[in-house]
């Protein structure tokens, strides 16, 4: 893999991990709860976000917030 491919993947994974940490923090998750969320780049350069371990009640809280956001946003489209 070219270094630029890795850098691009890392940049995208960093941005996504940061966005998720910020969203969960806005829901009241502590810094300790979101600490395990980290960017990952595969050997082929694909960006991923490793969520680590989250407590079940926190995941249920996040899922509830996502469902509420989807229900109130008529323009929301999965994958956009």
């Amino acid at each position: 893999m070219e270094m630029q491919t890795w850098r691009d993947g890392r940049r995208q994974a960093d941005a996504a991990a940061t966005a998720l940490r910020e969203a969960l923090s806005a829901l009241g998750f502590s810094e300790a709860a979101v600490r395990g969320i980290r960017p990952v780049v595969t050997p082929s350069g694909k960006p991923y976000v490793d969520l680590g371990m989250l407590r079940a009640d926190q995941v249920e809280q996040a899922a509830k917030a996502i469902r509420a956001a989807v229900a109130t946003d008529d323009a929301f489209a999965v994958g956009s």
Side-chain angles (χ1 to χ4, degrees):
M1 161 183 23
E2 292 183 22
M3 185 54 90
Q4 190 58 48
T5 301
W6 184 89
R7 284 184 186 131
D8 292 344
R10 180 62 186 214
R11 189 172 311 129
Q12 188 176 0
D14 276 334
T18 297
L20 183 58
R21 282 192 295 273
E22 289 173 354
L24 294 176
S25 293
L27 287 174
F29 284 43
S30 68
E31 185 176 329
V34 299
R35 188 177 303 139
I37 297 171
R38 65 185 205 283
V40 178
V41 180
T42 66
S44 64
K46 294 195 186 303
Y48 283 84
V49 176
D50 184 337
L51 301 181
M53 285 183 27
L54 296 170
R55 290 189 342 236
D57 64 320
Q58 293 173 324
V59 173
E60 289 173 356
Q61 179 187 359
K64 182 179 177 180
I66 292 168
R67 283 191 297 270
V70 170
T72 59
D73 186 358
D74 295 337
F76 184 80
V78 174
S80 54

PDB file of all heavy atoms in Angstrom, residues 28-55:
ATOM      1  N   GLY A  28     -24.013  12.620  26.778  1.00  0.00           N
ATOM      2  CA  GLY A  28     -23.666  12.508  28.188  1.00  0.00           C
ATOM      3  C   GLY A  28     -22.703  11.380  28.508  1.00  0.00           C
ATOM      4  O   GLY A  28     -22.452  11.103  29.678  1.00  0.00           O
ATOM      5  N   PHE A  29     -22.156  10.711  27.490  1.00  0.00           N
ATOM      6  CA  PHE A  29     -21.175   9.664  27.743  1.00  0.00           C
ATOM      7  C   PHE A  29     -19.911  10.304  28.307  1.00  0.00           C
ATOM      8  O   PHE A  29     -19.487  11.362  27.852  1.00  0.00           O
ATOM      9  CB  PHE A  29     -20.819   8.933  26.453  1.00  0.00           C
ATOM     10  CG  PHE A  29     -21.859   7.958  25.962  1.00  0.00           C
ATOM     11  CD1 PHE A  29     -23.205   8.266  25.981  1.00  0.00           C
ATOM     12  CD2 PHE A  29     -21.470   6.725  25.474  1.00  0.00           C
ATOM     13  CE1 PHE A  29     -24.153   7.380  25.524  1.00  0.00           C
ATOM     14  CE2 PHE A  29     -22.413   5.830  25.005  1.00  0.00           C
ATOM     15  CZ  PHE A  29     -23.764   6.146  25.035  1.00  0.00           C
ATOM     16  N   SER A  30     -19.312   9.667  29.268  1.00  0.00           N
ATOM     17  CA  SER A  30     -18.083  10.189  29.859  1.00  0.00           C
ATOM     18  C   SER A  30     -16.908   9.979  28.913  1.00  0.00           C
ATOM     19  O   SER A  30     -16.966   9.171  27.983  1.00  0.00           O
ATOM     20  CB  SER A  30     -17.796   9.469  31.181  1.00  0.00           C
ATOM     21  OG  SER A  30     -17.456   8.116  30.927  1.00  0.00           O
ATOM     22  N   GLU A  31     -15.827  10.691  29.184  1.00  0.00           N
ATOM     23  CA  GLU A  31     -14.615  10.526  28.384  1.00  0.00           C
ATOM     24  C   GLU A  31     -14.108   9.082  28.481  1.00  0.00           C
ATOM     25  O   GLU A  31     -13.638   8.504  27.504  1.00  0.00           O
ATOM     26  CB  GLU A  31     -13.534  11.486  28.851  1.00  0.00           C
ATOM     27  CG  GLU A  31     -12.288  11.453  27.989  1.00  0.00           C
ATOM     28  CD  GLU A  31     -11.255  12.480  28.412  1.00  0.00           C
ATOM     29  OE1 GLU A  31     -11.629  13.547  28.913  1.00  0.00           O
ATOM     30  OE2 GLU A  31     -10.059  12.188  28.223  1.00  0.00           O
ATOM     31  N   ALA A  32     -14.234   8.495  29.655  1.00  0.00           N
ATOM     32  CA  ALA A  32     -13.806   7.107  29.842  1.00  0.00           C
ATOM     33  C   ALA A  32     -14.624   6.157  28.969  1.00  0.00           C
ATOM     34  O   ALA A  32     -14.091   5.167  28.464  1.00  0.00           O
ATOM     35  CB  ALA A  32     -13.933   6.720  31.308  1.00  0.00           C
ATOM     36  N   ALA A  33     -15.892   6.461  28.772  1.00  0.00           N
ATOM     37  CA  ALA A  33     -16.759   5.585  27.980  1.00  0.00           C
ATOM     38  C   ALA A  33     -16.396   5.607  26.507  1.00  0.00           C
ATOM     39  O   ALA A  33     -16.540   4.598  25.816  1.00  0.00           O
ATOM     40  CB  ALA A  33     -18.220   5.994  28.158  1.00  0.00           C
ATOM     41  N   VAL A  34     -15.930   6.732  26.004  1.00  0.00           N
ATOM     42  CA  VAL A  34     -15.633   6.847  24.568  1.00  0.00           C
ATOM     43  C   VAL A  34     -14.144   6.683  24.262  1.00  0.00           C
ATOM     44  O   VAL A  34     -13.751   6.725  23.102  1.00  0.00           O
ATOM     45  CB  VAL A  34     -16.153   8.187  23.987  1.00  0.00           C
ATOM     46  CG1 VAL A  34     -17.662   8.284  24.141  1.00  0.00           C
ATOM     47  CG2 VAL A  34     -15.472   9.378  24.605  1.00  0.00           C
ATOM     48  N   ARG A  35     -13.356   6.461  25.290  1.00  0.00           N
ATOM     49  CA  ARG A  35     -11.907   6.331  25.116  1.00  0.00           C
ATOM     50  C   ARG A  35     -11.528   5.188  24.180  1.00  0.00           C
ATOM     51  O   ARG A  35     -10.546   5.266  23.460  1.00  0.00           O
ATOM     52  CB  ARG A  35     -11.258   6.129  26.473  1.00  0.00           C
ATOM     53  CG  ARG A  35      -9.758   6.160  26.459  1.00  0.00           C
ATOM     54  CD  ARG A  35      -9.161   6.020  27.843  1.00  0.00           C
ATOM     55  NE  ARG A  35      -9.676   7.073  28.717  1.00  0.00           N
ATOM     56  CZ  ARG A  35     -10.030   6.891  29.981  1.00  0.00           C
ATOM     57  NH1 ARG A  35      -9.916   5.711  30.539  1.00  0.00           N
ATOM     58  NH2 ARG A  35     -10.487   7.892  30.704  1.00  0.00           N
ATOM     59  N   GLY A  36     -12.308   4.113  24.186  1.00  0.00           N
ATOM     60  CA  GLY A  36     -11.982   2.949  23.369  1.00  0.00           C
ATOM     61  C   GLY A  36     -12.299   3.107  21.894  1.00  0.00           C
ATOM     62  O   GLY A  36     -11.921   2.254  21.088  1.00  0.00           O
ATOM     63  N   ILE A  37     -12.973   4.167  21.511  1.00  0.00           N
ATOM     64  CA  ILE A  37     -13.309   4.393  20.102  1.00  0.00           C
ATOM     65  C   ILE A  37     -12.058   4.898  19.402  1.00  0.00           C
ATOM     66  O   ILE A  37     -11.514   5.933  19.766  1.00  0.00           O
ATOM     67  CB  ILE A  37     -14.464   5.401  19.967  1.00  0.00           C
ATOM     68  CG1 ILE A  37     -15.717   4.835  20.630  1.00  0.00           C
ATOM     69  CG2 ILE A  37     -14.720   5.740  18.504  1.00  0.00           C
ATOM     70  CD1 ILE A  37     -16.859   5.815  20.743  1.00  0.00           C
ATOM     71  N   ARG A  38     -11.603   4.128  18.411  1.00  0.00           N
ATOM     72  CA  ARG A  38     -10.347   4.534  17.777  1.00  0.00           C
ATOM     73  C   ARG A  38     -10.347   4.238  16.285  1.00  0.00           C
ATOM     74  O   ARG A  38     -11.011   3.317  15.830  1.00  0.00           O
ATOM     75  CB  ARG A  38      -9.171   3.874  18.453  1.00  0.00           C
ATOM     76  CG  ARG A  38      -9.110   2.388  18.322  1.00  0.00           C
ATOM     77  CD  ARG A  38      -7.944   1.842  19.159  1.00  0.00           C
ATOM     78  NE  ARG A  38      -7.457   0.586  18.659  1.00  0.00           N
ATOM     79  CZ  ARG A  38      -8.038  -0.587  18.837  1.00  0.00           C
ATOM     80  NH1 ARG A  38      -9.174  -0.659  19.488  1.00  0.00           N
ATOM     81  NH2 ARG A  38      -7.506  -1.694  18.359  1.00  0.00           N
ATOM     82  N   PRO A  39      -9.596   5.038  15.543  1.00  0.00           N
ATOM     83  CA  PRO A  39      -9.494   4.835  14.100  1.00  0.00           C
ATOM     84  C   PRO A  39      -8.597   3.645  13.779  1.00  0.00           C
ATOM     85  O   PRO A  39      -7.632   3.376  14.502  1.00  0.00           O
ATOM     86  CB  PRO A  39      -8.870   6.136  13.607  1.00  0.00           C
ATOM     87  CG  PRO A  39      -8.099   6.650  14.767  1.00  0.00           C
ATOM     88  CD  PRO A  39      -8.833   6.207  15.994  1.00  0.00           C
ATOM     89  N   VAL A  40      -8.941   2.941  12.713  1.00  0.00           N
ATOM     90  CA  VAL A  40      -8.157   1.794  12.265  1.00  0.00           C
ATOM     91  C   VAL A  40      -8.075   1.846  10.747  1.00  0.00           C
ATOM     92  O   VAL A  40      -9.049   2.211  10.080  1.00  0.00           O
ATOM     93  CB  VAL A  40      -8.832   0.464  12.692  1.00  0.00           C
ATOM     94  CG1 VAL A  40      -8.049  -0.738  12.180  1.00  0.00           C
ATOM     95  CG2 VAL A  40      -9.020   0.402  14.191  1.00  0.00           C
ATOM     96  N   VAL A  41      -6.919   1.491  10.218  1.00  0.00           N
ATOM     97  CA  VAL A  41      -6.753   1.398   8.768  1.00  0.00           C
ATOM     98  C   VAL A  41      -6.310  -0.027   8.450  1.00  0.00           C
ATOM     99  O   VAL A  41      -5.345  -0.527   9.030  1.00  0.00           O
ATOM    100  CB  VAL A  41      -5.722   2.415   8.238  1.00  0.00           C
ATOM    101  CG1 VAL A  41      -5.571   2.311   6.730  1.00  0.00           C
ATOM    102  CG2 VAL A  41      -6.110   3.833   8.638  1.00  0.00           C
ATOM    103  N   THR A  42      -7.003  -0.689   7.531  1.00  0.00           N
ATOM    104  CA  THR A  42      -6.650  -2.053   7.152  1.00  0.00           C
ATOM    105  C   THR A  42      -5.391  -2.046   6.288  1.00  0.00           C
ATOM    106  O   THR A  42      -4.994  -0.994   5.770  1.00  0.00           O
ATOM    107  CB  THR A  42      -7.790  -2.704   6.353  1.00  0.00           C
ATOM    108  OG1 THR A  42      -7.936  -2.025   5.108  1.00  0.00           O
ATOM    109  CG2 THR A  42      -9.104  -2.702   7.128  1.00  0.00           C
ATOM    110  N   PRO A  43      -4.783  -3.194   6.110  1.00  0.00           N
ATOM    111  CA  PRO A  43      -3.597  -3.269   5.252  1.00  0.00           C
ATOM    112  C   PRO A  43      -3.847  -2.801   3.817  1.00  0.00           C
ATOM    113  O   PRO A  43      -2.924  -2.367   3.137  1.00  0.00           O
ATOM    114  CB  PRO A  43      -3.224  -4.752   5.285  1.00  0.00           C
ATOM    115  CG  PRO A  43      -3.728  -5.218   6.613  1.00  0.00           C
ATOM    116  CD  PRO A  43      -5.012  -4.452   6.814  1.00  0.00           C
ATOM    117  N   SER A  44      -5.106  -2.843   3.371  1.00  0.00           N
ATOM    118  CA  SER A  44      -5.412  -2.361   2.016  1.00  0.00           C
ATOM    119  C   SER A  44      -5.740  -0.866   2.000  1.00  0.00           C
ATOM    120  O   SER A  44      -6.005  -0.304   0.943  1.00  0.00           O
ATOM    121  CB  SER A  44      -6.584  -3.157   1.433  1.00  0.00           C
ATOM    122  OG  SER A  44      -7.758  -2.927   2.189  1.00  0.00           O
ATOM    123  N   GLY A  45      -5.770  -0.226   3.192  1.00  0.00           N
ATOM    124  CA  GLY A  45      -6.008   1.208   3.266  1.00  0.00           C
ATOM    125  C   GLY A  45      -7.438   1.610   3.565  1.00  0.00           C
ATOM    126  O   GLY A  45      -7.762   2.789   3.569  1.00  0.00           O
ATOM    127  N   LYS A  46      -8.311   0.643   3.828  1.00  0.00           N
ATOM    128  CA  LYS A  46      -9.713   0.972   4.113  1.00  0.00           C
ATOM    129  C   LYS A  46      -9.847   1.504   5.542  1.00  0.00           C
ATOM    130  O   LYS A  46      -9.323   0.922   6.485  1.00  0.00           O
ATOM    131  CB  LYS A  46     -10.594  -0.251   3.928  1.00  0.00           C
ATOM    132  CG  LYS A  46     -10.664  -0.719   2.487  1.00  0.00           C
ATOM    133  CD  LYS A  46     -11.810  -1.670   2.304  1.00  0.00           C
ATOM    134  CE  LYS A  46     -11.852  -2.273   0.936  1.00  0.00           C
ATOM    135  NZ  LYS A  46     -11.907  -1.375  -0.167  1.00  0.00           N
ATOM    136  N   PRO A  47     -10.584   2.615   5.704  1.00  0.00           N
ATOM    137  CA  PRO A  47     -10.763   3.195   7.034  1.00  0.00           C
ATOM    138  C   PRO A  47     -11.915   2.526   7.797  1.00  0.00           C
ATOM    139  O   PRO A  47     -12.973   2.249   7.228  1.00  0.00           O
ATOM    140  CB  PRO A  47     -11.096   4.653   6.735  1.00  0.00           C
ATOM    141  CG  PRO A  47     -11.732   4.623   5.386  1.00  0.00           C
ATOM    142  CD  PRO A  47     -11.110   3.485   4.648  1.00  0.00           C
ATOM    143  N   TYR A  48     -11.691   2.258   9.059  1.00  0.00           N
ATOM    144  CA  TYR A  48     -12.706   1.698   9.952  1.00  0.00           C
ATOM    145  C   TYR A  48     -12.633   2.427  11.279  1.00  0.00           C
ATOM    146  O   TYR A  48     -11.664   3.122  11.571  1.00  0.00           O
ATOM    147  CB  TYR A  48     -12.447   0.207  10.207  1.00  0.00           C
ATOM    148  CG  TYR A  48     -12.853  -0.683   9.061  1.00  0.00           C
ATOM    149  CD1 TYR A  48     -11.993  -0.898   7.991  1.00  0.00           C
ATOM    150  CD2 TYR A  48     -14.102  -1.298   9.037  1.00  0.00           C
ATOM    151  CE1 TYR A  48     -12.355  -1.710   6.932  1.00  0.00           C
ATOM    152  CE2 TYR A  48     -14.476  -2.116   7.978  1.00  0.00           C
ATOM    153  CZ  TYR A  48     -13.600  -2.314   6.930  1.00  0.00           C
ATOM    154  OH  TYR A  48     -13.965  -3.110   5.882  1.00  0.00           O
ATOM    155  N   VAL A  49     -13.661   2.237  12.099  1.00  0.00           N
ATOM    156  CA  VAL A  49     -13.660   2.746  13.458  1.00  0.00           C
ATOM    157  C   VAL A  49     -13.931   1.568  14.387  1.00  0.00           C
ATOM    158  O   VAL A  49     -14.954   0.898  14.265  1.00  0.00           O
ATOM    159  CB  VAL A  49     -14.724   3.848  13.665  1.00  0.00           C
ATOM    160  CG1 VAL A  49     -14.766   4.280  15.129  1.00  0.00           C
ATOM    161  CG2 VAL A  49     -14.439   5.037  12.761  1.00  0.00           C
ATOM    162  N   ASP A  50     -13.001   1.316  15.293  1.00  0.00           N
ATOM    163  CA  ASP A  50     -13.154   0.270  16.296  1.00  0.00           C
ATOM    164  C   ASP A  50     -13.865   0.905  17.485  1.00  0.00           C
ATOM    165  O   ASP A  50     -13.386   1.891  18.054  1.00  0.00           O
ATOM    166  CB  ASP A  50     -11.778  -0.248  16.702  1.00  0.00           C
ATOM    167  CG  ASP A  50     -11.847  -1.410  17.674  1.00  0.00           C
ATOM    168  OD1 ASP A  50     -12.866  -1.569  18.375  1.00  0.00           O
ATOM    169  OD2 ASP A  50     -10.859  -2.158  17.738  1.00  0.00           O
ATOM    170  N   LEU A  51     -15.012   0.350  17.859  1.00  0.00           N
ATOM    171  CA  LEU A  51     -15.798   0.929  18.946  1.00  0.00           C
ATOM    172  C   LEU A  51     -15.348   0.462  20.321  1.00  0.00           C
ATOM    173  O   LEU A  51     -15.788   1.007  21.326  1.00  0.00           O
ATOM    174  CB  LEU A  51     -17.283   0.607  18.757  1.00  0.00           C
ATOM    175  CG  LEU A  51     -17.901   1.109  17.459  1.00  0.00           C
ATOM    176  CD1 LEU A  51     -19.370   0.740  17.406  1.00  0.00           C
ATOM    177  CD2 LEU A  51     -17.708   2.603  17.306  1.00  0.00           C
ATOM    178  N   GLY A  52     -14.494  -0.531  20.376  1.00  0.00           N
ATOM    179  CA  GLY A  52     -14.073  -1.021  21.678  1.00  0.00           C
ATOM    180  C   GLY A  52     -15.257  -1.623  22.413  1.00  0.00           C
ATOM    181  O   GLY A  52     -16.206  -2.102  21.791  1.00  0.00           O
ATOM    182  N   MET A  53     -15.219  -1.586  23.720  1.00  0.00           N
ATOM    183  CA  MET A  53     -16.332  -2.117  24.513  1.00  0.00           C
ATOM    184  C   MET A  53     -17.113  -0.955  25.107  1.00  0.00           C
ATOM    185  O   MET A  53     -16.558  -0.078  25.754  1.00  0.00           O
ATOM    186  CB  MET A  53     -15.808  -3.020  25.634  1.00  0.00           C
ATOM    187  CG  MET A  53     -15.349  -4.351  25.109  1.00  0.00           C
ATOM    188  SD  MET A  53     -14.787  -5.554  26.355  1.00  0.00           S
ATOM    189  CE  MET A  53     -15.622  -5.159  27.835  1.00  0.00           C
ATOM    190  N   LEU A  54     -18.406  -0.976  24.872  1.00  0.00           N
ATOM    191  CA  LEU A  54     -19.312  -0.001  25.463  1.00  0.00           C
ATOM    192  C   LEU A  54     -20.318  -0.766  26.309  1.00  0.00           C
ATOM    193  O   LEU A  54     -20.711  -1.880  25.957  1.00  0.00           O
ATOM    194  CB  LEU A  54     -20.049   0.790  24.373  1.00  0.00           C
ATOM    195  CG  LEU A  54     -19.190   1.654  23.463  1.00  0.00           C
ATOM    196  CD1 LEU A  54     -20.016   2.169  22.297  1.00  0.00           C
ATOM    197  CD2 LEU A  54     -18.615   2.812  24.251  1.00  0.00           C
ATOM    198  N   ARG A  55     -20.738  -0.169  27.408  1.00  0.00           N
ATOM    199  CA  ARG A  55     -21.744  -0.821  28.243  1.00  0.00           C
ATOM    200  C   ARG A  55     -23.053  -0.938  27.470  1.00  0.00           C
ATOM    201  O   ARG A  55     -23.393  -0.073  26.659  1.00  0.00           O
ATOM    202  CB  ARG A  55     -21.975  -0.017  29.516  1.00  0.00           C
ATOM    203  CG  ARG A  55     -20.806  -0.062  30.469  1.00  0.00           C
ATOM    204  CD  ARG A  55     -21.125   0.559  31.829  1.00  0.00           C
ATOM    205  NE  ARG A  55     -22.275   1.413  31.859  1.00  0.00           N
ATOM    206  CZ  ARG A  55     -22.267   2.696  32.264  1.00  0.00           C
ATOM    207  NH1 ARG A  55     -21.151   3.254  32.652  1.00  0.00           N
ATOM    208  NH2 ARG A  55     -23.377   3.401  32.286  1.00  0.00           N
TER     209      ARG A  55
END
